[in-house]
Amino acid sequence: MKKGVMRPGHIQLRVLDMEEAVAHYRDLLGLIEVDRDDQGRVYLKGWTEVDKFSVVLREADSAGMDFVGYKCVNEGAVEQLRQELIEYGCKVEDIPEGELKGCGRRVRFDSPTGHLFEIFATKEQTGKWEVGNHNPEAWPRNLTGMKATRFDHCLLYGPNIAGTIDLFREVLGFDLAEQVLDGEGTRLAGFLTVSMKAHDVAFIEHPEPGKLHHASFFLETWEDVLRAADLISMTDTSIDIGPTRHGLTHGKTIYFFDPSGNRSEVFAGGDYHYPDHEPVTWDADKLGKAIFYHDRVLNERFLTVLT
Amino acid sequence: MKKGVMRPGHIQLRVLDMEEAVAHYRDLLGLIEVDRDDQGRVYLKGWTEVDKFSVVLREADSAGMDFVGYKCVNEGAVEQLRQELIEYGCKVEDIPEGELKGCGRRVRFDSPTGHLFEIFATKEQTGKWEVGNHNPEAWPRNLTGMKATRFDHCLLYGPNIAGTIDLFREVLGFDLAEQVLDGEGTRLAGFLTVSMKAHDVAFIEHPEPGKLHHASFFLETWEDVLRAADLISMTDTSIDIGPTRHGLTHGKTIYFFDPSGNRSEVFAGGDYHYPDHEPVTWDADKLGKAIFYHDRVLNERFLTVLT
Amino acid sequence: MKKGVMRPGHIQLRVLDMEEAVAHYRDLLGLIEVDRDDQGRVYLKGWTEVDKFSVVLREADSAGMDFVGYKCVNEGAVEQLRQELIEYGCKVEDIPEGELKGCGRRVRFDSPTGHLFEIFATKEQTGKWEVGNHNPEAWPRNLTGMKATRFDHCLLYGPNIAGTIDLFREVLGFDLAEQVLDGEGTRLAGFLTVSMKAHDVAFIEHPEPGKLHHASFFLETWEDVLRAADLISMTDTSIDIGPTRHGLTHGKTIYFFDPSGNRSEVFAGGDYHYPDHEPVTWDADKLGKAIFYHDRVLNERFLTVLT
Amino acid sequence: MKKGVMRPGHIQLRVLDMEEAVAHYRDLLGLIEVDRDDQGRVYLKGWTEVDKFSVVLREADSAGMDFVGYKCVNEGAVEQLRQELIEYGCKVEDIPEGELKGCGRRVRFDSPTGHLFEIFATKEQTGKWEVGNHNPEAWPRNLTGMKATRFDHCLLYGPNIAGTIDLFREVLGFDLAEQVLDGEGTRLAGFLTVSMKAHDVAFIEHPEPGKLHHASFFLETWEDVLRAADLISMTDTSIDIGPTRHGLTHGKTIYFFDPSGNRSEVFAGGDYHYPDHEPVTWDADKLGKAIFYHDRVLNERFLTVLT
């Protein structure tokens, strides 16, 4: 958190049909629906998150990600980073307080990979859902579905990941936790963290700009990954792969699709990172094992199905 | 156990290279090597098994299964069943005491699917490995690899499974615990048990006789299935599919191959059966889900790669 | 199952306040309430049990167990055992069909330890709750509380356990799976099974006749034991001990009390038994470890708090 | 990490007999022995730790903790904090490079609770044990015992915790993650973190200065806590309490003692913290539940057995 950025704060996803999407993110993933706005957007969060929301669903003609926002320690940090982003050459847009309900002003900026990002510092804090912070019980009794605990990170595809990774490291203070390098030392994938998590955002080189590979949500245990897999089957949800483990980060994971075609991940575990850790490097010729540790081969969907 | 048959007692597998096979079954699966004989056969067992051995490896020119043997409550039961097998029309062969080291006489018989089976009642009891039955600790501290606890069952492919299933039910006293039926009510697969386990043997209809689909070993938890999957990757072992869950029996499982091409399974959990339970029936058009509960489609290998 | 007895089929418990008891067994343990009768008794079952019910609660002035019943393979077995019980010297009482709703005739008999037992063969089969046996899903989505899967066994205290154990072994065909012996070889505790389970009933020597130590319910995993422990705390339920492991059977367990003071257990795992297994023996001077494997000392409640 | 302090870097423990202590920390806890020095001190680490060591054992006449050291991002941060510590009124001692093998200079300082702490920035990085950071496997195959992954934190007892907590917050940049307050709002316990972990150090008010309650090591899962408990029994190690869950942090835990009487903890899970999280508050009249979530009462040892 050397530049004041703390964590992924929210992601706005485009979905083709809102009620189907709500069934996916609320009833299946188990996120809590916390609000809707007059644009028809639906706000959700994982039960461990203290802020009001972390996922915003917007009905649109095409699936994908509108933007992902990172929360900073205070407005001063946002203001300082706003200047640095401009100096770095980003196109910066100021989004006024209240554009998202319960959220303060946001600074939106573009990136070499074609994704839009935001930083912000103020959001209504509603506390851990049904648990709070006064003699808190271990978990809420009324969770449903996969009981996802938080929005954790997203994996983004686009051209020139070198540029976006540089932006995140130099301006926003992220660390490179893991990477995939080809024989010439070119970085094909970068996993970045701004705290102890294995990744707060990840990028894979890809010709088309602005693509979303998946939005990821945290579970507590490998047992929870199994129950997520069972629920995917019971609800006839389209599965991608898993349960399995990633080589990168060593997280235990399953991939599946929302009704609009956006890929979801739920995962548990994963390595931890400190600023003095050297990046973990995977060779491109081990890419299969790096992504799917057990199968050691990529399925074709991993590289081509994006939104 | 209505006819005195208790459980799968041993399986003799053909392997192409003994030392590679021992590395697979002992070092990777974690079975205990307990003996070798002057034919060069290697004897192993899982640590919870009280009898001396349950797996016999024989070096040969082709992979596959020589026979699987079921242990009966006493020699009287063996003698009685021997008569009934002959009356049923089986070709019966008497294998003298000591042909397998530490094992009493066995009665071998053929079957419509082309597999050889045995019944026996006497085998040296060496007790639970390093634990015994006097103030026993929870588990032995010196286990390696996947820590497989016991040889559990095998899945066999062959023609006329109706015949072999009838033989197991009518003569040997097995129950039909689960089955797959096609639209005409023809049984494509049958899972049979002789006690509370979800299956002690299973059959799938297939034109070629006498084929082995897999030999299966029991683990304690889904966590152990993950560690098995990790070990498969670490040892560059050929994986088939998993970690996943079966629809049939609901066991949590992973399939992989020994160096000779014999498929191994390790699994945990699974439903329980009592004699008054109706068979569980899966429709053939749900076969994908019945076999691989999460993916809900078969991989091609499941139906074609056999030894 | 050598004499045709299959498993524990039901237990009738006395409770001081029915609605409090229902909150315990249905909402906390997660049993399914399936019926009530005109005596005001409440019938429940675990979701994996195919028979209509396994737990009957009866409001009374004192807590404890009225009787526990074992299901037999057929009415012929019940009739045969009825004769043998009479010959053995038991006082036998015939309970007509329908006295418990959905249950056929039962044969009740007394025992040296002062407990009443029953055998029966006929009970309405309603199948696995919300899962059934046709393309069954892995588990029902609407479970609550601890999600107990089945009534598993009970531990009973009384004088002359040698007599009751003899009755169960000689007449009912149970095996002695585990025992605690003192220095003179006197059996202080016996754990009996009639199938593969570590125990279907257990007895501990105690001067007062007809006492219940606990009724036990099966969970799937150690993770479920944790969640049970969490729920005990969240609901301010009186805990006895756990989560821990038993030395005897090696099951993973937690003990707690229903509002009437009857002790409940939920547990997972545990060793398996076959008829050719020698009994496991624990020395009395290891009794602490035999009961509570981690603490290796008994709490006083274990020996004195009974209903 | 707002002041450049990253994490607990090492703890030096006094033990009465070195070889017994090594058996505890290396063979039972599963730490890796990495070095010994000419003072006879033994250096160990958990397998996930990138630095050379995190635990130092020193043979002495009395058990307890000599000091605990925190690693900073760089020497500049150490220098800056050294000045601030002096200004704050701490007695500061400079420990030269090499006094601990492989460790750079350390700045040692005293505290109101009577404990000695250190900060440092330089230590030989040997990488994750047997895994490294180039195509790393999920875990090393040669771990023993409890497979502790890292030294995680310690809980310290002493007078005037208000003073030491102020020092950690104001000078070292720690956050107060959780606390216990009595009816007058006096803080009886404070749990402090400098990153995302539930705690990097904790303090409980106690009249005697400089006492160690426990040194804690991280495990991956609740399953690992069970195996730790089993090993405690198998090795006849003195247990304190567990397996159980804490209310504070919600970690899953077990406490036990090294042969010198120092309390060890191994635990898994636990809540996460960010700088914008309000502290979690437990009321003193819920102290039992705050410490031992399942039992909801303290055992006497928790408050009185210290080293």
Side-chain angles (χ1 to χ4, degrees):
Chain A
M1 306 183 193
K2 50 194 125 163
K3 301 293 281 292
V5 181
M6 288 193 295
R7 65 171 174 269
H10 53 241
I11 187 169
Q12 184 166 305
L13 293 169
R14 293 189 301 276
V15 298
L16 305 181
D17 179 291
M18 184 57 77
E19 289 320 305
E20 285 182 4
V22 168
H24 181 85
Y25 291 95
R26 184 189 60 195
D27 304 338
L28 180 57
L29 277 157
L31 299 176
I32 317 301
E33 182 183 329
V34 293
D35 210 344
R36 299 195 177 206
D37 67 20
D38 47 23
Q39 291 181 44
R41 292 182 298 188
V42 176
Y43 297 63
L44 307 105
K45 66 181 271 186
W47 72 267
T48 68
E49 295 178 295
V50 299
D51 289 335
K52 176 178 172 171
F53 66 86
S54 61
V55 173
V56 180
L57 304 177
R58 180 173 75 83
E59 199 168 270
D61 290 338
S62 67
M65 180 194 88
D66 283 336
F67 54 81
V68 57
Y70 298 92
K71 193 176 189 193
C72 300
V73 286
N74 54 42
E75 291 292 342
V78 174
E79 193 52 41
Q80 173 66 27
L81 288 170
R82 185 181 179 281
Q83 287 310 315
E84 296 186 33
L85 286 163
I86 290 168
E87 285 157 24
Y88 190 83
C90 293
K91 202 176 126 197
V92 163
E93 183 185 5
D94 292 301
I95 312 291
E97 179 186 345
E99 196 278 333
L100 284 169
K101 283 176 79 170
C103 188
R105 72 101 167 231
R106 295 126 63 202
V107 174
R108 188 177 295 169
F109 54 98
D110 65 355
S111 66
T113 44
H115 301 93
L116 291 179
F117 299 103
E118 300 181 351
I119 49 174
F120 70 98
T122 306
K123 193 182 282 181
E124 189 185 341
Q125 285 209 342
T126 49
K128 292 192 186 184
W129 186 74
E130 290 205 354
V131 164
N133 58 18
H134 185 210
N135 303 328
E137 301 290 358
W139 35 268
R141 292 195 63 181
N142 299 317
L143 294 171
T144 55
M146 297 176 183
K147 307 183 183 184
T149 66
R150 68 172 182 237
F151 167 54
D152 189 86
H153 68 271
C154 54
L155 170 56
L156 305 175
Y157 276 46
N160 191 7
I161 63 167
T164 300
I165 290 173
D166 186 71
L167 167 64
F168 270 75
R169 295 174 81 177
E170 297 309 316
V171 181
L172 301 174
F174 281 61
D175 281 344
L176 181 70
E178 305 214 15
Q179 60 184 341
V180 179
L181 298 183
D182 71 10
E184 284 74 47
T186 303
R187 190 178 291 134
L188 307 182
F191 285 56
L192 301 170
T193 181
V194 75
S195 65
M196 274 189 76
K197 286 165 55 188
H199 42 8
D200 285 310
V201 67
F203 299 99
I204 288 186
E205 188 73 29
H206 181 77
E208 224 181 337
K211 304 308 279 182
L212 171 68
H213 185 272
H214 70 262
S216 182
F217 301 87
F218 198 69
L219 302 183
E220 292 185 84
T221 66
W222 172 237
E223 199 94 9
D224 289 335
V225 176
L226 173 66
R227 292 181 79 82
D230 291 341
L231 286 164
I232 286 168
S233 185
M234 290 176 192
T235 56
D236 248 320
T237 299
S238 176
I239 194 173
D240 184 5
I241 196 167
T244 188
R245 188 197 280 277
H246 292 304
L248 283 149
T249 81
H250 296 122
K252 297 153 249 176
T253 180
I254 188 165
Y255 284 159
F256 51 109
F257 294 98
D258 80 7
S260 306
N262 295 304
R263 191 186 276 98
S264 298
E265 177 185 46
V266 290
F267 81 108
D271 299 326
Y272 62 90
H273 179 86
Y274 281 107
D276 63 334
H277 285 199
E278 291 293 314
V280 170
T281 299
W282 288 83
D283 299 328
D285 61 8
K286 301 273 190 203
L287 185 62
K289 186 169 180 176
I291 303 295
F292 300 126
Y293 185 65
H294 299 144
D295 284 350
R296 288 159 279 156
V297 288
L298 295 185
N299 62 5
E300 195 199 326
R301 284 190 300 270
F302 184 83
L303 291 174
T304 58
V305 176
L306 307 168
T307 56
Chain B
M1 305 184 194
K2 49 194 125 160
K3 301 293 282 291
V5 180
M6 287 192 296
R7 65 171 174 268
H10 52 242
I11 187 169
Q12 183 166 306
L13 294 169
R14 292 189 302 276
V15 298
L16 305 181
D17 178 291
M18 184 55 78
E19 289 319 306
E20 284 183 3
V22 168
H24 180 86
Y25 290 95
R26 184 189 61 196
D27 304 337
L28 179 58
L29 277 158
L31 300 176
I32 317 301
E33 183 183 329
V34 293
D35 210 346
R36 299 196 175 204
D37 67 20
D38 47 22
Q39 291 180 44
R41 292 183 298 188
V42 176
Y43 297 63
L44 307 104
K45 66 182 270 185
W47 72 267
T48 68
E49 295 178 293
V50 299
D51 287 336
K52 175 179 172 172
F53 65 87
S54 61
V55 173
V56 180
L57 305 178
R58 180 172 74 85
E59 199 168 271
D61 290 338
S62 65
M65 180 195 87
D66 282 337
F67 54 80
V68 57
Y70 299 91
K71 192 175 189 192
C72 300
V73 288
N74 54 41
E75 292 291 343
V78 173
E79 193 52 40
Q80 174 66 28
L81 289 170
R82 184 180 179 282
Q83 287 310 316
E84 295 186 33
L85 286 164
I86 290 169
E87 285 157 24
Y88 190 83
C90 293
K91 200 176 127 198
V92 163
E93 183 185 5
D94 293 301
I95 312 291
E97 180 186 346
E99 195 279 332
L100 284 169
K101 284 175 79 171
C103 188
R105 71 99 168 235
R106 294 126 61 202
V107 173
R108 187 176 294 169
F109 55 97
D110 64 356
S111 66
T113 45
H115 301 93
L116 291 179
F117 299 102
E118 300 181 349
I119 48 174
F120 70 98
T122 305
K123 193 182 281 181
E124 188 185 342
Q125 285 210 341
T126 50
K128 292 193 186 184
W129 187 73
E130 290 206 353
V131 165
N133 59 18
H134 185 210
N135 304 326
E137 300 291 357
W139 35 270
R141 293 195 62 180
N142 299 317
L143 293 169
T144 55
M146 298 177 183
K147 306 181 183 186
T149 66
R150 67 171 183 238
F151 167 54
D152 189 86
H153 68 272
C154 53
L155 169 57
L156 305 174
Y157 275 47
N160 192 7
I161 64 167
T164 301
I165 289 173
D166 185 72
L167 167 63
F168 270 75
R169 295 174 80 177
E170 296 310 315
V171 181
L172 301 174
F174 281 61
D175 281 344
L176 181 69
E178 306 215 14
Q179 61 184 340
V180 180
L181 297 182
D182 71 11
E184 283 74 45
T186 304
R187 190 178 292 134
L188 307 181
F191 285 57
L192 302 169
T193 181
V194 75
S195 65
M196 275 189 75
K197 285 165 55 187
H199 42 9
D200 284 310
V201 68
F203 299 98
I204 288 187
E205 188 73 29
H206 181 76
E208 223 181 339
K211 304 307 280 182
L212 171 70
H213 185 271
H214 69 261
S216 182
F217 300 88
F218 198 67
L219 302 184
E220 291 186 85
T221 68
W222 172 237
E223 199 94 9
D224 288 336
V225 176
L226 173 65
R227 292 182 78 82
D230 291 340
L231 286 164
I232 286 167
S233 185
M234 289 176 194
T235 55
D236 248 320
T237 299
S238 176
I239 194 173
D240 185 4
I241 196 167
T244 188
R245 189 196 280 278
H246 292 304
L248 283 148
T249 79
H250 296 123
K252 296 153 251 177
T253 179
I254 188 165
Y255 284 159
F256 51 108
F257 294 98
D258 81 5
S260 307
N262 295 304
R263 191 186 277 98
S264 297
E265 177 185 46
V266 290
F267 81 109
D271 299 326
Y272 62 90
H273 178 86
Y274 280 107
D276 63 335
H277 285 200
E278 289 296 312
V280 170
T281 300
W282 288 83
D283 298 328
D285 62 9
K286 300 273 190 203
L287 186 61
K289 186 169 180 176
I291 303 295
F292 300 127
Y293 186 66
H294 299 145
D295 284 350
R296 287 158 280 155
V297 287
L298 294 185
N299 63 5
E300 196 200 325
R301 284 190 300 270
F302 185 83
L303 291 173
T304 59
V305 176
L306 307 168
T307 56
Chain C
M1 305 184 193
K2 50 195 128 163
K3 300 293 283 291
V5 180
M6 287 193 295
R7 64 171 175 268
H10 52 242
I11 187 169
Q12 183 166 307
L13 293 169
R14 292 188 303 275
V15 298
L16 305 181
D17 178 291
M18 184 56 77
E19 289 320 305
E20 284 183 4
V22 169
H24 180 85
Y25 291 95
R26 183 190 62 196
D27 304 337
L28 179 58
L29 276 158
L31 299 176
I32 317 301
E33 182 183 329
V34 294
D35 211 344
R36 298 194 177 206
D37 67 21
D38 46 24
Q39 291 181 43
R41 293 182 298 187
V42 177
Y43 297 62
L44 305 105
K45 65 182 272 184
W47 72 267
T48 68
E49 295 178 293
V50 299
D51 287 336
K52 175 178 173 172
F53 66 87
S54 61
V55 173
V56 181
L57 304 177
R58 179 172 75 85
E59 200 168 86
D61 290 337
S62 66
M65 181 193 88
D66 283 335
F67 53 81
V68 57
Y70 298 91
K71 193 176 189 192
C72 301
V73 287
N74 53 42
E75 292 292 344
V78 173
E79 193 51 41
Q80 173 67 27
L81 289 170
R82 184 181 179 282
Q83 286 311 314
E84 296 188 31
L85 287 163
I86 291 168
E87 286 157 25
Y88 190 83
C90 294
K91 200 177 126 197
V92 162
E93 183 185 5
D94 293 300
I95 312 291
E97 180 186 344
E99 195 278 334
L100 284 169
K101 283 175 78 171
C103 189
R105 72 100 167 231
R106 295 127 62 203
V107 174
R108 187 176 295 170
F109 54 98
D110 65 356
S111 66
T113 45
H115 300 93
L116 292 180
F117 299 102
E118 300 181 349
I119 49 173
F120 70 98
T122 305
K123 193 182 281 181
E124 188 184 341
Q125 284 211 340
T126 49
K128 293 192 184 183
W129 186 73
E130 289 205 355
V131 165
N133 59 18
H134 184 208
N135 303 326
E137 300 291 358
W139 35 270
R141 292 196 64 182
N142 299 318
L143 294 170
T144 55
M146 297 177 183
K147 306 182 182 184
T149 67
R150 67 172 182 237
F151 167 55
D152 190 85
H153 68 272
C154 53
L155 169 57
L156 305 174
Y157 275 47
N160 192 7
I161 63 167
T164 300
I165 290 173
D166 186 72
L167 167 64
F168 270 75
R169 294 173 82 177
E170 297 309 315
V171 181
L172 301 174
F174 282 60
D175 280 344
L176 181 69
E178 306 214 13
Q179 61 183 341
V180 179
L181 298 183
D182 70 12
E184 284 74 47
T186 303
R187 190 178 292 135
L188 307 181
F191 285 57
L192 301 169
T193 181
V194 74
S195 64
M196 274 189 77
K197 286 165 55 189
H199 42 10
D200 285 311
V201 68
F203 299 98
I204 288 187
E205 188 74 28
H206 180 77
E208 222 181 340
K211 305 306 280 182
L212 171 69
H213 184 273
H214 69 261
S216 182
F217 301 88
F218 198 69
L219 302 183
E220 292 185 84
T221 68
W222 171 237
E223 199 94 9
D224 289 336
V225 176
L226 173 66
R227 292 182 79 81
D230 292 340
L231 286 164
I232 286 167
S233 185
M234 290 177 193
T235 57
D236 248 320
T237 299
S238 175
I239 193 172
D240 184 5
I241 196 167
T244 188
R245 188 197 280 279
H246 292 303
L248 283 149
T249 79
H250 296 122
K252 296 153 250 177
T253 179
I254 188 164
Y255 285 158
F256 51 109
F257 294 98
D258 80 7
S260 307
N262 294 304
R263 190 186 276 98
S264 298
E265 177 185 45
V266 290
F267 81 108
D271 298 327
Y272 62 89
H273 179 86
Y274 280 107
D276 62 335
H277 285 201
E278 290 294 314
V280 170
T281 299
W282 287 83
D283 297 329
D285 62 8
K286 300 273 191 204
L287 185 62
K289 186 168 179 176
I291 303 294
F292 301 127
Y293 186 65
H294 299 145
D295 284 350
R296 287 159 281 156
V297 287
L298 294 185
N299 61 6
E300 194 200 327
R301 284 190 299 271
F302 186 83
L303 291 174
T304 59
V305 177
L306 307 168
T307 56
Chain D
M1 306 183 193
K2 47 194 130 163
K3 300 293 281 294
V5 180
M6 288 193 296
R7 65 171 174 268
H10 53 243
I11 187 168
Q12 183 166 305
L13 293 169
R14 292 190 301 277
V15 297
L16 305 180
D17 178 292
M18 184 56 77
E19 289 319 306
E20 284 182 3
V22 168
H24 180 85
Y25 290 95
R26 182 189 62 196
D27 303 338
L28 179 58
L29 277 157
L31 300 176
I32 316 302
E33 182 183 330
V34 293
D35 210 345
R36 300 195 175 203
D37 66 22
D38 47 23
Q39 291 181 44
R41 292 183 298 189
V42 176
Y43 297 62
L44 307 104
K45 66 181 272 185
W47 72 267
T48 69
E49 296 179 292
V50 300
D51 288 335
K52 176 179 172 171
F53 66 87
S54 61
V55 173
V56 180
L57 304 177
R58 180 172 75 84
E59 200 168 88
D61 289 338
S62 66
M65 180 194 88
D66 283 335
F67 53 81
V68 58
Y70 298 91
K71 194 177 189 190
C72 300
V73 287
N74 54 41
E75 292 292 343
V78 174
E79 193 51 40
Q80 173 66 29
L81 289 170
R82 185 180 178 281
Q83 287 309 316
E84 296 187 32
L85 287 163
I86 290 169
E87 286 157 25
Y88 190 83
C90 293
K91 200 176 127 198
V92 163
E93 183 185 4
D94 293 300
I95 312 292
E97 181 186 345
E99 195 278 333
L100 285 169
K101 283 175 80 171
C103 188
R105 72 101 167 232
R106 294 128 62 201
V107 174
R108 187 177 293 171
F109 54 99
D110 65 356
S111 66
T113 44
H115 300 94
L116 292 179
F117 299 103
E118 299 181 350
I119 49 173
F120 70 97
T122 305
K123 194 183 281 180
E124 189 185 342
Q125 285 210 340
T126 49
K128 293 193 184 183
W129 186 73
E130 290 206 354
V131 164
N133 58 18
H134 185 209
N135 303 325
E137 300 291 357
W139 34 271
R141 293 195 62 181
N142 299 316
L143 293 170
T144 55
M146 297 176 182
K147 306 182 184 185
T149 67
R150 67 171 182 237
F151 167 54
D152 189 85
H153 67 272
C154 53
L155 170 56
L156 305 175
Y157 274 46
N160 192 6
I161 64 167
T164 300
I165 290 173
D166 186 72
L167 168 63
F168 270 75
R169 294 174 81 178
E170 297 310 315
V171 181
L172 301 174
F174 281 61
D175 282 344
L176 181 69
E178 307 214 13
Q179 60 184 340
V180 180
L181 297 183
D182 70 12
E184 284 73 46
T186 304
R187 191 178 290 136
L188 307 181
F191 285 57
L192 301 170
T193 180
V194 75
S195 64
M196 276 188 74
K197 285 164 57 187
H199 42 9
D200 285 310
V201 68
F203 299 98
I204 287 187
E205 188 73 29
H206 181 76
E208 224 182 338
K211 304 307 279 182
L212 171 69
H213 185 273
H214 70 261
S216 182
F217 300 88
F218 198 68
L219 301 184
E220 293 186 84
T221 67
W222 171 237
E223 199 95 9
D224 289 335
V225 176
L226 173 66
R227 293 181 79 80
D230 291 340
L231 286 164
I232 286 168
S233 186
M234 290 176 193
T235 55
D236 247 320
T237 299
S238 175
I239 194 172
D240 184 6
I241 197 167
T244 188
R245 188 198 281 279
H246 292 304
L248 283 149
T249 79
H250 296 123
K252 297 152 249 175
T253 179
I254 188 165
Y255 284 159
F256 51 108
F257 294 99
D258 81 6
S260 307
N262 295 304
R263 191 186 275 98
S264 298
E265 177 186 45
V266 290
F267 81 108
D271 299 327
Y272 62 90
H273 179 86
Y274 280 107
D276 63 335
H277 285 200
E278 290 294 313
V280 170
T281 299
W282 288 83
D283 298 329
D285 61 9
K286 301 274 191 202
L287 186 61
K289 186 169 177 174
I291 303 295
F292 299 127
Y293 186 65
H294 299 145
D295 284 349
R296 289 159 279 156
V297 288
L298 294 186
N299 61 5
E300 194 200 327
R301 283 190 300 271
F302 185 82
L303 291 174
T304 58
V305 177
L306 307 168
T307 56

